Amino acid sequence: MLSRLLLYGYCYQDSNDIPDTLTTITELGSPLEMIQLLQTSWEDRFRICLSLVRLLHYLAHSPLGSVTLLDFRPRQFVIVDGELKVTDLDDASIEESSCTSNSDCFMEFPARNFTLPCSVEGRCQNMNEKRNLYNAYRFFFTYLLPHSAPSSLRPLLDKIVNATGELHWGIDETAAQLERVLNLYKSGEYLQNTTRIPKAEYRRVPEAFIPDENYRCWPSYHHKGCLLSVFDVNEAIEICDSYSQCKAFVLTNQTTWTGRQLVFFKTASNHIMPDPDKITYVKVTD
């Protein structure tokens, strides 16, 4: 799915009062608020970075040629159904800078400068693509990718952040590596190299729910409780074992965009209520 706002329609008006006016109707998105994003789950932040990379991959290989976004600030993007989409293409350009030597292919950013090679055709190689990629690094990857990520994925995520920050990779390799992270996360393969020996025993209570006994954790899908996504029951047990206040957890029938199950973690199991769509696990021994 391409990360561009869908165009539902447009209206061209040319009159004495309003000459040469074009009005467009697009899908509605939420403004990008970086502070709020930093408080969301790693899974949702990863989705935003993945949708951005998929957009940049399309722009690098568009039918018009390689397209660069000259104004890459976060306000140029919105979030639609959890994915990042670009709203304004007024500052997009397909012009690749001409050059006679490498010194003509100078890219300047507030914290870093780069010099790209000048091709035999007299064009700066991949300048549009590299400009987009470094802007993605400095505005998005460095803030959203590594923090609170699963520990076994951190080495690969750090590698992605460092490689884009140094422009060692192009968009093709960056996109391939982020898709690799997605596959590891969705399949549960990222858990294979972790130690998963339960510290406590749990009693399974089918068709049951604990309505109260909440505690807060970060990041959580619920602002008044600890609601996290898990690959399987074993991961839920591992998470509950890691919180001293966790005495039970409830598997819901809700899933995230990756298909992972949402689980409520609880401080006690004093009041268990019947619920056909949920399964409760109660810690028996510590």
Side-chain angles (χ1 to χ4, degrees), residues 67-79:
V67 180
T68 189
L69 301 176
L70 298 176
D71 189 351
F72 207 97
R73 287 171 293 181
R75 70 182 185 184
Q76 300 295 329
F77 300 88
V78 295
I79 298 176

Side-chain angles (χ1 to χ4, degrees), residues 22 26 59 211 224 232 271:
L22 179 66
T26 66
L59 292 179
K224 290 185 177 180
D232 57 15
H271 304 287

Side-chain angles (χ1 to χ4, degrees), residues 114-134:
F114 298 94
T115 300
L116 300 180
C118 179
S119 69
V120 293
E121 292 84 11
R123 296 288 178 181
C124 296
Q125 289 185 11
N126 303 320
M127 178 170 277
N128 287 348
E129 173 185 331
K130 292 296 181 70
R131 181 183 288 110
N132 286 343
L133 196 54
Y134 188 77

